[in-house]
Amino acid sequence: MVANQDAKAAQAPVIETDNTAAVKAAIVSSEAPKTASLTHPLGPLTGEEIIKGADLVRSVWPEGTKLQFKVNTLHEPEKKLLAPWLVAERAGEKPAPLDRKAFIVYTLRGTHNVHEAVVNLTTQTVEFNAKLGPFEHPNSDMAELEEVEKAVLEIPEVKAEIEKLGLPEGAVVVMDPWIYGADGIKEGNFFDDKRVMQCNLYLRDPNNSSEEDSCHYSFPLPVSPVIDPATLELVRIDIMPTGHDETIKPFKYQDRPANEYIPEAHTMRTDLKPLQVVQPEGASFTVEPFSELGRTLKWQKWDFKVGFNQREGMVLYDVHYDNRPLFYRLSLSDMAIPYGDPRNPFHRKCAFDLGDVGAGLTANNLELGCDCLGSIYYISSVLGNAEGKPVDAPNVVCIHEQDSGILWKHTNYRTNRAVVVRNRELVLQSILTVSNYEYILAFIFNQAGDITYEVRATGILSTQPLDLDLTEVPHPFGTVVHPGVLGGFHQHFFSLRVDPMIGGHGNQIAYEEAEAMPRDPKLNPNGHGYIVKKTVIDTTGGYDLDPSKNRTFKILNPAVRNTVNKLPVGYKVHVPPFQPILADKDSYHYKRAEFADRSFYVTKYVDGELFAGGKYTNQSHGGKGVRSWAERKEDLTKEADPVLWVNFGINHVPRIEDFPVMPMEMLKVMLRPVNFFDKNPALDVPSSKQSFNCSTALNTADELAKKVDGLAVTGGEMKGCCA
Amino acid sequence: MVANQDAKAAQAPVIETDNTAAVKAAIVSSEAPKTASLTHPLGPLTGEEIIKGADLVRSVWPEGTKLQFKVNTLHEPEKKLLAPWLVAERAGEKPAPLDRKAFIVYTLRGTHNVHEAVVNLTTQTVEFNAKLGPFEHPNSDMAELEEVEKAVLEIPEVKAEIEKLGLPEGAVVVMDPWIYGADGIKEGNFFDDKRVMQCNLYLRDPNNSSEEDSCHYSFPLPVSPVIDPATLELVRIDIMPTGHDETIKPFKYQDRPANEYIPEAHTMRTDLKPLQVVQPEGASFTVEPFSELGRTLKWQKWDFKVGFNQREGMVLYDVHYDNRPLFYRLSLSDMAIPYGDPRNPFHRKCAFDLGDVGAGLTANNLELGCDCLGSIYYISSVLGNAEGKPVDAPNVVCIHEQDSGILWKHTNYRTNRAVVVRNRELVLQSILTVSNYEYILAFIFNQAGDITYEVRATGILSTQPLDLDLTEVPHPFGTVVHPGVLGGFHQHFFSLRVDPMIGGHGNQIAYEEAEAMPRDPKLNPNGHGYIVKKTVIDTTGGYDLDPSKNRTFKILNPAVRNTVNKLPVGYKVHVPPFQPILADKDSYHYKRAEFADRSFYVTKYVDGELFAGGKYTNQSHGGKGVRSWAERKEDLTKEADPVLWVNFGINHVPRIEDFPVMPMEMLKVMLRPVNFFDKNPALDVPSSKQSFNCSTALNTADELAKKVDGLAVTGGEMKGCCA
């Protein structure tokens, strides 16, 4: 997408394109480019830039055209410009700024005419502006969800359908709009060119209807309107089956208990004592701006840049350890949650929480002392709203240290001298609320060169209505989690995009497997021997784990050798295996969730290939994500620039303990150095000492002196070194 | 093993048995049984009891016979007595004490005549006393290791062999004795009836020979004496190959650098700031004695008993949540570390750290403020020494709370009200040093009914000598981790013994798998549907994970139903898959490490079947561990009393970062309730609040008020609610 730099060109007319071709339209403004004070190619768009980008897009439309902005986010520079720029920056050369660009997706308000554009904020030009094709729909956003809920509950046909349910007097109906998904079914269901939403209806506790935070998921209703969010018009109403098969029956509300998570509904435990994390000398990390909104983190030899955008939430760039390059870019690429109930309309439930809405858009405002513990630094950001105006995204990332037990220890049993080093970690955390579910996402660093990406799934199951008299009967498609409430089976898939530069650019992906040696009277007489075999991945494609072979994937730099043993420096990936997507290969779930079938995809770097499920996931039909890119079967051996997509997931067979809010389930990906350093990189971390740690012994003095037999201890403390 | 209760029987003579039969010998003492003040059947042996047990054993031998005690530990009562006893205790019925018994293994000092005995401390009788069979040898102990090291280095042939190495002037040789392992090879190697040890020799840094904590593993030597630890006589000297194949060459020491872990050898980082965990109101748990050495822990509805013994270290008994029964007994059953270098003598390296020595014997004395952080309660214990006398085992278990992030959260996006509950955990931790390696073992409880067993492997690789000029050449059997030092490939296997009573005794083991539905125009028209199938394990045997089916193992109680959905209450097991032992099925590694080939073994409960590798692992030949018990193929459907052995492991392909001490590698087993409660059991945990947590925001006030653009933040703190 090359800008037409001809400043004298007259304003070209907007060209409406057909669904299959993209046409560039370049508008050059007569305004001089603005010089930003802290300009950095990776800085998230500032409020000013958001406004300017929207204005540039408006300028290609007739005055007064009402546009609805869905995406207004940084368009990162091409790697061939940015990679050397970052090297020059690190070397202190102060390279000239790269053009600032924005990627903008917008609709003509009230229609499904959707465009994507790239605007150059530096030259004030529109470099690209094209209508999206079929099956390419923009994301939803929080404002839209609330707007749709309000409108739908007023629609007469919807009210009539609700009336039939026989709800109690004063009952308040609540509605969660959902992305529609896709099933390719025509005749009233087929929406190639129209984005719609399917709505899930629930009740607040009828005995407590004024409680706005009543857990409505405990009272699911079978009425599911389908609505056009652009016009707020009803398309149709689906009725959910409430038995064990696809039969639709009339549903008559019967009394059943509530199931609340708010503390007022419970008698709290009274025996939990405070636990505080205190850093009397402050935290060990430093945070500096590299742009108005971008932050550089330095901690224990790590340094990297943190960005934030509406789709990916936090993104890490230019990650180095001890000034040695490791990762060019790290980000959660997308997640997909396909459901396994085959019955209409449940079969269409498949959320792509990043592509369908956005990790940045749904990021919680993290509260001091609640979400993060200890000495916390908060990163705030700025996102664009539907009007093309900036909106604060406060406290979307919290950063803090934590202690995570012992990192390494050895005691020489002869002398009894123990050397202990504790595992201090740096955590960058963000939490998404996507309607019912929450995802707690964290990048975690330690002093041994490890990076962990941790996902905790919590929040509330998406519930389905169940005939009350089926509560005590095992259900074929889910678990009964409350009278009249089914938690349907579903899978969660996540894809971590790892763009590496271990020891510099030019990496190789390989895997190693351990293999038993055959018996041999000379070479392996006892049958105990085994060796390790390496396979280099030379072609893009999908790859799987195989625990039976200890198959371990590594990112290597064959041009950079370990100083001692001369093996290529590298990082290995620890990720748990998962059950691949159960939906069959011809299904829409499978086609759309392109990262849900293999533990790894390896592609060759292409600018803009950031999202494993494709750029537009909402009602997508697949074919534009990581599986498709990998299937190009490109050669990775020359001008190697691989991207590693690390996939992982959970098959969520709900248990009743997961309701009304689930105790978190955790998944971790770990990136660990392998022959990158010349020894344990944490040998120079000061040993764990009481004078530093100020722990407190709870044993009484008499107990410790063994004077008392059988003394109970309840919370009595001996003061440690810090009063 | 039934006691002969005839008090009038004269002292029977000791009957020497042959190797294949066990004969009971009962000696009844005329002394009256002692009444202990705090007697409990599960209390670890007290010092008095250790002495008494040893005396009882001595009493069956002629006066003056020198005995060496290898094991002197609690002999737990039979389950058919103990299980109802514990129920009665819990109900407040104060049941009559059960007889106190000790299990004792001892040798006639200076010989390989080994006996095992069971003595009744209450009746003062010897209930059982028999010579061990072939391939049944007792464990080593720390005193023996130091004795052997001292003696071997003085043996003339050994000194002569060391002389040939051409070590530098003043070099100090250090020796780690190892258990011998087994290979069935006759002609000088075959030791059915003799326990020997193989010794690994190393150097301290020759340039710093007086440093007692020099990391000698950086200087491995190829001379390996084999010694009889009973007589301290040399059996032979093995010479290790130092190249890539089995060729033995003369080894001439050449100068190479040291590789130290002690802090004096490094320039410490200076930028790590303290992080302290403070509990201003004390800890939330209570500890009470149930016997002189046994402790009852109560915390957040959990209550259980903690014991400690020389082999297993910490053991948990009678685990309840909210007074509902869960686990009868939880313990690490054994670990095995088979090595993969096929060359003599490395092929014999296979350590069973519990059976060969003991988790209790090797447990570290945990130091305040070093090994455990925060407000710590220490459990100390008492073990028996070779003289049959008690020795203090101080601070072998540390207990403390920790915060582990968020447990559950939900935000209603309409109201923005967030409810957050933090994941407070209770940790019981013990650390073993087994010569070079360390294992950090912990039981971790949380408020959602989960129990995690966590293993962290750290300490030092077992190193092998390598020709210096092969440092930069990839090695077939290991990784070069330092000039002249090979870290050989090896596997670590662990077996957690889970004796359940979920909802009471009478449990069932089952697994569930998720399975795609076939396409069907009516039942599954979209190909999205899947179901979950349960398989009950009705016969003892070995079972594997299968991530491709999401195979999840559960412990169920079919007689106790969930109050809402009527599914059987249960607990599920989360454990990672591992590469099974690579040694082939005819090998000694395979035969001996009976828990290293399957993720699960399910056996039918038998008293005394506690140790997955068999009761006697030292130089064992296999056939007496969990695989063999499971192969009895017993029916589990009647009088169900299954024991679940949860196996997990690491294939350790060393990386240079693992040397000289490895950053810990972590494995976890998680036991989680499934349909045991009627909802999330942590709904009544008070929400996370700043007033409770006292976190501190590091952002400056101006930053938070958005007055400053681009301000760097380095450790400046805003005071939270606690000064």
Side-chain angles (χ1 to χ4, degrees):
Chain A
M1 299 180 196
V2 177
N4 180 342
Q5 302 269 326
D6 184 353
K8 299 261 171 54
Q11 253 199 6
V14 168
I15 301 164
E16 278 284 344
T17 61
D18 66 35
N19 286 353
T20 52
V23 169
K24 289 185 292 175
I27 314 287
V28 178
S29 160
S30 54
E31 246 190 301
K34 172 171 180 170
T35 312
S37 52
L38 258 178
T39 307
H40 191 287
L42 290 172
L45 290 189
T46 65
E48 273 195 51
E49 290 176 321
I50 285 168
I51 292 169
K52 178 175 306 343
D55 284 347
L56 277 165
V57 164
R58 283 196 189 90
S59 71
V60 307
W61 292 90
E63 182 112 17
T65 310
K66 284 187 169 31
L67 303 182
Q68 180 191 32
F69 294 92
K70 305 299 290 181
V71 177
N72 189 339
T73 197
L74 175 69
H75 183 80
E76 293 175 15
E78 306 162 281
K79 189 186 245 189
K80 70 174 193 259
L81 296 178
L82 182 60
W85 194 97
L86 290 170
V87 171
E89 175 194 37
R90 179 167 290 269
E93 292 168 19
K94 301 199 198 305
L98 299 174
D99 285 1
R100 294 283 290 164
K101 301 187 185 183
F103 175 74
I104 298 180
V105 177
Y106 63 99
T107 71
L108 300 187
R109 202 173 249 295
T111 78
H112 290 288
N113 184 333
V114 195
H115 277 61
E116 67 175 15
V118 174
V119 301
N120 188 319
L121 302 164
T122 304
T123 61
Q124 309 248 336
T125 54
V126 175
E127 293 189 347
F128 180 87
N129 181 40
K131 191 174 194 291
L132 293 183
F135 324 134
E136 287 185 330
H137 300 284
N139 50 292
S140 186
D141 55 61
M142 302 316 294
E144 181 172 81
L145 294 192
E146 297 195 51
E147 186 182 34
V148 166
E149 176 175 12
K150 211 154 162 270
V152 169
L153 292 172
E154 291 305 311
I155 294 172
E157 294 94 313
V158 174
K159 290 167 89 158
E161 212 51 62
I162 290 173
E163 192 66 33
K164 294 187 203 166
L165 299 172
L167 300 177
E169 187 83 30
V172 172
V173 174
V174 174
M175 201 195 82
D176 279 23
W178 261 53
I179 47 81
Y180 186 77
D183 56 15
I185 293 173
K186 298 179 193 282
E187 290 179 28
N189 270 26
F190 197 55
F191 300 111
D192 284 351
D193 56 358
K194 180 156 84 174
R195 180 168 70 94
V196 297
M197 303 193 81
Q198 55 183 347
C199 303
N200 297 305
L201 266 56
Y202 311 87
L203 267 194
R204 288 186 194 162
D205 174 11
N207 295 321
N208 194 11
S209 287
S210 59
E211 174 52 71
E212 291 185 287
D213 291 292
S214 173
C215 180
H216 52 272
Y217 303 97
S218 313
F219 299 90
L221 303 172
V223 175
S224 181
V226 177
I227 187 167
D228 180 332
T231 61
L232 296 177
E233 285 169 358
L234 182 70
V235 174
R236 68 169 190 274
I237 298 178
D238 289 332
I239 305 295
M240 298 171 174
T242 56
H244 281 191
D245 63 18
E246 70 283 359
T247 313
I248 311 291
K249 309 190 290 290
F251 181 93
K252 281 289 176 236
Y253 180 84
Q254 287 167 271
D255 211 40
R256 79 282 304 275
N259 200 343
E260 304 288 15
Y261 60 87
I262 51 181
E264 303 90 287
H266 300 279
T267 306
M268 292 286 121
R269 304 180 188 206
T270 54
D271 56 347
L272 187 66
K273 305 212 176 152
L275 185 150
Q276 295 150 11
V277 171
V278 176
Q279 292 200 274
E281 295 179 30
S284 316
F285 58 89
T286 66
V287 183
E288 283 182 13
F290 65 83
S291 79
E292 184 179 311
L293 294 165
R295 295 290 177 263
T296 300
L297 252 290
K298 293 188 184 185
W299 179 80
Q300 295 295 290
K301 304 190 187 177
W302 288 101
D303 83 88
F304 53 89
K305 293 177 169 59
V306 185
F308 193 87
N309 67 65
Q310 74 172 79
R311 179 163 184 158
E312 298 165 290
M314 31 171 198
V315 180
L316 305 191
Y317 305 95
D318 208 31
V319 182
H320 286 67
Y321 185 95
D322 209 14
N323 218 32
R324 297 175 64 193
L326 285 178
F327 297 98
Y328 182 71
R329 196 181 195 277
L330 288 172
S331 57
L332 179 67
S333 166
D334 215 325
M335 63 172 90
I337 300 90
Y339 282 71
D341 192 324
R343 305 170 295 168
N344 189 82
F346 308 123
H347 69 288
R348 265 186 289 98
K349 289 173 72 170
C350 184
F352 288 76
D353 290 320
L354 271 61
D356 291 345
V357 190
L361 281 187
T362 58
N364 292 179
N365 179 349
L366 302 170
E367 291 184 51
L368 183 67
C370 297
D371 295 301
C372 322
L373 184 70
S375 296
I376 323 287
Y377 185 88
Y378 293 89
I379 289 185
S380 298
S381 201
V382 170
L383 301 176
N385 69 6
E387 313 313 317
K389 298 281 182 277
V391 175
D392 277 343
N395 306 328
V396 284
V397 180
C398 74
I399 305 176
H400 62 93
E401 290 182 280
Q402 65 188 17
D403 177 281
S404 181
I406 291 171
L407 176 60
W408 62 262
K409 179 177 188 183
H410 185 65
T411 298
N412 179 351
Y413 65 83
R414 301 164 188 76
T415 63
N416 262 318
R417 177 180 178 184
V419 182
V420 189
V421 163
R422 296 196 66 83
N423 193 20
R424 183 73 66 84
E425 295 177 323
L426 179 75
V427 181
L428 284 80
Q429 176 176 282
S430 197
I431 304 178
L432 323 186
T433 298
V434 274
S435 290
N436 48 295
Y437 260 137
E438 260 78 10
Y439 297 95
I440 303 170
L441 310 170
F443 285 100
I444 304 172
F445 297 78
N446 76 4
Q447 299 148 312
D450 302 325
I451 303 177
T452 299
Y453 186 70
E454 184 191 280
V455 175
R456 297 184 186 205
T458 180
I460 307 181
L461 293 170
S462 173
T463 55
Q464 299 167 201
L466 178 72
D467 295 335
L468 204 57
D469 59 11
L470 291 178
T471 293
E472 302 184 351
V473 186
H475 196 287
F477 306 124
T479 306
V480 178
V481 294
H482 186 67
V485 181
L486 185 71
F489 303 142
H490 56 283
Q491 296 178 281
H492 297 258
F493 298 105
F494 305 87
S495 184
L496 182 72
R497 183 179 181 276
V498 178
D499 188 348
M501 54 177 187
I502 308 296
H505 291 278
N507 290 174
Q508 187 184 67
I509 311 296
Y511 59 84
E512 286 186 357
E513 298 171 318
E515 199 174 275
M517 292 169 66
R519 281 262 185 170
D520 180 278
K522 182 166 179 293
L523 300 176
N524 186 28
N526 299 285
H528 289 171
Y530 72 88
I531 57 168
V532 172
K533 287 192 350 184
K534 179 168 105 176
T535 304
V536 174
I537 288 174
D538 51 21
T539 313
T540 64
Y543 296 87
D544 293 310
L545 289 168
D546 188 346
S548 76
K549 298 178 177 172
N550 198 51
R551 185 180 297 161
T552 305
F553 285 75
K554 298 181 168 181
I555 308 166
L556 301 171
N557 191 331
V560 180
R561 297 288 165 146
N562 183 276
T563 53
V564 175
N565 63 23
K566 303 305 185 203
L567 292 170
V569 301
Y571 258 67
K572 56 177 176 159
V573 184
H574 284 245
V575 64
F578 62 97
Q579 180 173 36
I581 184 166
L582 282 156
D584 71 38
K585 289 190 155 67
D586 299 310
S587 71
Y588 277 86
H589 279 355
Y590 179 87
K591 290 178 189 175
R592 302 173 65 217
E594 293 207 356
F595 49 91
D597 58 336
R598 315 297 297 265
S599 283
F600 295 94
Y601 273 105
V602 183
T603 61
K604 193 166 172 170
Y605 179 91
V606 171
D607 287 311
E609 282 182 356
L610 294 171
F611 310 123
K615 210 190 320 183
Y616 298 102
T617 57
N618 200 340
Q619 286 170 231
S620 62
H621 279 213
K624 299 192 179 183
V626 70
R627 184 190 303 141
S628 307
W629 305 332
E631 270 164 28
R632 293 189 296 248
K633 295 260 165 270
E634 291 165 282
D635 173 40
L636 291 167
T637 59
K638 313 249 180 314
E639 292 159 17
D641 193 5
V643 177
L644 184 65
W645 308 76
V646 184
N647 307 318
F648 49 104
I650 299 166
N651 190 329
H652 197 171
V653 175
R655 38 172 207 155
I656 203 168
E657 288 85 356
D658 289 336
F659 199 69
V661 181
M662 73 181 263
M664 61 90 188
E665 187 144 354
M666 189 191 298
L667 287 170
K668 292 202 228 209
V669 177
M670 213 171 162
L671 303 166
R672 309 199 78 190
V674 56
N675 303 313
F676 186 81
F677 300 100
D678 64 358
K679 59 185 68 175
N680 174 348
L683 290 176
D684 61 351
V685 176
S687 302
S688 181
K689 285 187 173 31
Q690 172 59 357
S691 54
F692 190 82
N693 295 330
C694 293
S695 289
T696 308
L698 296 174
N699 301 71
T700 62
D702 280 348
E703 259 196 308
L704 291 174
K706 292 203 195 334
K707 286 185 196 159
V708 179
D709 179 36
L711 184 72
V713 170
T714 310
E717 283 203 37
M718 280 168 50
K719 295 278 180 205
C721 53
C722 309
Chain B
M1 296 179 199
V2 178
N4 180 344
Q5 302 266 329
D6 185 353
K8 299 260 172 57
Q11 255 201 4
V14 169
I15 301 165
E16 279 285 344
T17 62
D18 66 37
N19 288 351
T20 52
V23 168
K24 289 186 294 177
I27 313 289
V28 178
S29 160
S30 56
E31 246 189 304
K34 173 172 172 167
T35 313
S37 56
L38 257 178
T39 308
H40 191 286
L42 290 172
L45 290 188
T46 65
E48 272 194 52
E49 290 177 320
I50 286 168
I51 291 169
K52 178 175 309 333
D55 284 347
L56 277 166
V57 164
R58 283 196 189 89
S59 71
V60 308
W61 293 89
E63 180 111 18
T65 310
K66 284 191 173 19
L67 303 182
Q68 180 192 32
F69 293 92
K70 305 300 291 183
V71 177
N72 188 340
T73 199
L74 175 69
H75 182 81
E76 291 174 17
E78 304 160 284
K79 188 186 243 188
K80 70 174 193 261
L81 297 178
L82 182 60
W85 195 96
L86 291 170
V87 172
E89 175 194 37
R90 180 166 288 272
E93 291 166 21
K94 299 195 198 308
L98 298 174
D99 285 0
R100 294 283 291 163
K101 302 187 187 183
F103 174 74
I104 299 181
V105 177
Y106 63 99
T107 70
L108 301 186
R109 203 174 246 297
T111 76
H112 289 290
N113 184 334
V114 195
H115 277 63
E116 68 174 14
V118 174
V119 302
N120 187 321
L121 301 165
T122 304
T123 61
Q124 308 248 336
T125 52
V126 176
E127 294 190 348
F128 180 86
N129 182 40
K131 191 172 192 293
L132 293 185
F135 325 132
E136 286 184 330
H137 300 284
N139 50 292
S140 185
D141 55 61
M142 301 315 295
E144 180 172 83
L145 295 192
E146 297 196 51
E147 186 183 32
V148 165
E149 175 175 11
K150 207 150 167 272
V152 169
L153 292 172
E154 292 303 311
I155 295 173
E157 294 94 316
V158 173
K159 291 168 88 155
E161 210 53 61
I162 290 173
E163 191 67 33
K164 294 188 203 166
L165 300 173
L167 300 177
E169 187 81 32
V172 173
V173 174
V174 173
M175 203 194 80
D176 278 25
W178 261 53
I179 45 82
Y180 186 78
D183 57 14
I185 293 172
K186 299 179 195 277
E187 292 179 26
N189 271 27
F190 198 55
F191 301 111
D192 284 352
D193 56 357
K194 179 156 83 172
R195 181 170 67 96
V196 298
M197 301 192 82
Q198 56 182 345
C199 303
N200 297 303
L201 267 57
Y202 311 87
L203 267 194
R204 288 188 194 161
D205 174 10
N207 295 321
N208 194 12
S209 287
S210 59
E211 173 53 69
E212 291 184 287
D213 290 293
S214 175
C215 180
H216 52 271
Y217 302 98
S218 313
F219 299 91
L221 303 172
V223 175
S224 181
V226 177
I227 187 168
D228 180 334
T231 61
L232 296 177
E233 284 168 357
L234 182 71
V235 173
R236 67 168 189 274
I237 298 178
D238 289 333
I239 306 293
M240 298 171 173
T242 56
H244 281 192
D245 63 19
E246 71 281 2
T247 314
I248 312 290
K249 312 190 289 285
F251 181 92
K252 280 288 175 242
Y253 179 82
Q254 287 167 269
D255 210 40
R256 77 281 304 275
N259 201 342
E260 305 287 13
Y261 61 87
I262 51 180
E264 302 91 288
H266 299 278
T267 307
M268 292 286 120
R269 303 180 190 208
T270 55
D271 57 348
L272 187 66
K273 304 212 177 154
L275 185 149
Q276 295 151 10
V277 171
V278 176
Q279 292 198 272
E281 296 179 27
S284 317
F285 58 89
T286 66
V287 183
E288 283 183 14
F290 66 82
S291 80
E292 183 179 311
L293 293 166
R295 296 289 177 263
T296 299
L297 252 290
K298 293 188 184 186
W299 179 79
Q300 295 295 291
K301 304 190 187 179
W302 289 100
D303 83 86
F304 52 90
K305 293 175 168 60
V306 185
F308 192 88
N309 65 66
Q310 74 173 79
R311 179 163 183 157
E312 298 165 289
M314 34 173 196
V315 180
L316 305 190
Y317 305 94
D318 207 32
V319 182
H320 286 66
Y321 185 95
D322 209 15
N323 219 30
R324 295 173 66 191
L326 286 178
F327 298 98
Y328 181 72
R329 196 181 196 279
L330 288 173
S331 57
L332 179 66
S333 165
D334 214 325
M335 63 172 91
I337 301 92
Y339 283 71
D341 191 325
R343 306 171 294 169
N344 189 81
F346 308 123
H347 69 288
R348 265 187 288 97
K349 289 173 73 170
C350 184
F352 288 77
D353 290 319
L354 270 61
D356 290 347
V357 190
L361 279 188
T362 59
N364 292 179
N365 178 348
L366 303 171
E367 290 184 51
L368 182 66
C370 299
D371 295 300
C372 322
L373 183 71
S375 296
I376 323 286
Y377 185 88
Y378 294 89
I379 289 184
S380 297
S381 201
V382 171
L383 302 175
N385 70 6
E387 314 312 317
K389 298 281 180 279
V391 174
D392 276 345
N395 307 327
V396 284
V397 179
C398 74
I399 305 176
H400 62 94
E401 292 182 280
Q402 65 187 14
D403 177 282
S404 182
I406 290 171
L407 177 59
W408 62 263
K409 180 177 188 182
H410 186 65
T411 299
N412 178 351
Y413 65 84
R414 301 165 187 75
T415 62
N416 262 318
R417 176 180 178 184
V419 181
V420 190
V421 163
R422 295 196 67 81
N423 192 21
R424 182 73 66 83
E425 295 178 321
L426 179 74
V427 181
L428 284 82
Q429 174 176 285
S430 195
I431 303 179
L432 323 186
T433 297
V434 273
S435 288
N436 49 296
Y437 260 136
E438 259 78 10
Y439 297 94
I440 303 170
L441 309 170
F443 285 100
I444 304 172
F445 297 79
N446 76 4
Q447 298 147 315
D450 302 325
I451 303 176
T452 299
Y453 186 71
E454 184 192 279
V455 176
R456 297 183 187 207
T458 180
I460 308 181
L461 292 170
S462 174
T463 56
Q464 299 168 202
L466 178 73
D467 295 337
L468 204 56
D469 59 11
L470 291 178
T471 293
E472 301 184 351
V473 186
H475 196 287
F477 307 124
T479 306
V480 177
V481 293
H482 186 67
V485 180
L486 185 71
F489 303 142
H490 56 284
Q491 295 178 282
H492 296 257
F493 298 105
F494 305 87
S495 184
L496 181 72
R497 182 180 181 277
V498 178
D499 188 349
M501 54 177 187
I502 307 294
H505 290 276
N507 288 174
Q508 184 185 66
I509 312 296
Y511 59 84
E512 287 186 355
E513 296 171 320
E515 200 174 272
M517 292 169 66
R519 282 260 185 171
D520 181 281
K522 183 168 181 293
L523 300 174
N524 186 27
N526 299 285
H528 289 170
Y530 72 88
I531 56 167
V532 172
K533 288 192 347 185
K534 178 167 106 177
T535 304
V536 175
I537 288 174
D538 51 21
T539 313
T540 64
Y543 296 88
D544 293 311
L545 289 168
D546 188 347
S548 76
K549 298 180 176 170
N550 197 51
R551 185 180 297 162
T552 305
F553 285 75
K554 297 182 168 183
I555 308 166
L556 301 171
N557 191 331
V560 180
R561 297 286 165 149
N562 183 274
T563 53
V564 175
N565 63 23
K566 302 306 183 200
L567 292 170
V569 299
Y571 258 67
K572 56 177 176 160
V573 184
H574 285 246
V575 65
F578 61 97
Q579 181 173 34
I581 185 166
L582 282 156
D584 70 38
K585 289 190 155 66
D586 299 311
S587 72
Y588 276 87
H589 280 355
Y590 178 87
K591 290 178 189 174
R592 304 172 64 215
E594 292 206 356
F595 49 91
D597 58 336
R598 315 298 295 266
S599 283
F600 295 94
Y601 273 105
V602 183
T603 61
K604 194 167 173 167
Y605 179 89
V606 171
D607 287 311
E609 282 182 358
L610 294 170
F611 310 123
K615 211 192 316 185
Y616 297 102
T617 57
N618 201 340
Q619 284 169 233
S620 63
H621 279 210
K624 298 190 179 183
V626 70
R627 186 190 302 141
S628 306
W629 305 330
E631 270 166 28
R632 293 190 296 246
K633 295 257 166 272
E634 291 166 283
D635 174 39
L636 291 168
T637 60
K638 313 246 180 315
E639 293 160 15
D641 192 5
V643 176
L644 184 64
W645 309 76
V646 184
N647 307 317
F648 50 104
I650 299 167
N651 189 327
H652 197 170
V653 175
R655 39 173 205 153
I656 204 169
E657 288 84 355
D658 290 335
F659 199 68
V661 181
M662 73 182 262
M664 60 89 189
E665 187 142 353
M666 188 191 299
L667 286 170
K668 291 202 228 209
V669 178
M670 213 172 162
L671 303 165
R672 308 198 80 191
V674 55
N675 303 315
F676 186 80
F677 300 101
D678 65 357
K679 60 186 68 174
N680 175 346
L683 290 176
D684 61 351
V685 176
S687 301
S688 182
K689 285 186 172 31
Q690 171 59 1
S691 53
F692 190 82
N693 295 329
C694 293
S695 289
T696 308
L698 295 174
N699 303 71
T700 62
D702 280 349
E703 260 197 309
L704 291 174
K706 293 201 188 349
K707 288 185 190 156
V708 180
D709 179 34
L711 183 74
V713 171
T714 309
E717 283 205 36
M718 279 170 50
K719 294 278 178 204
C721 53
C722 311

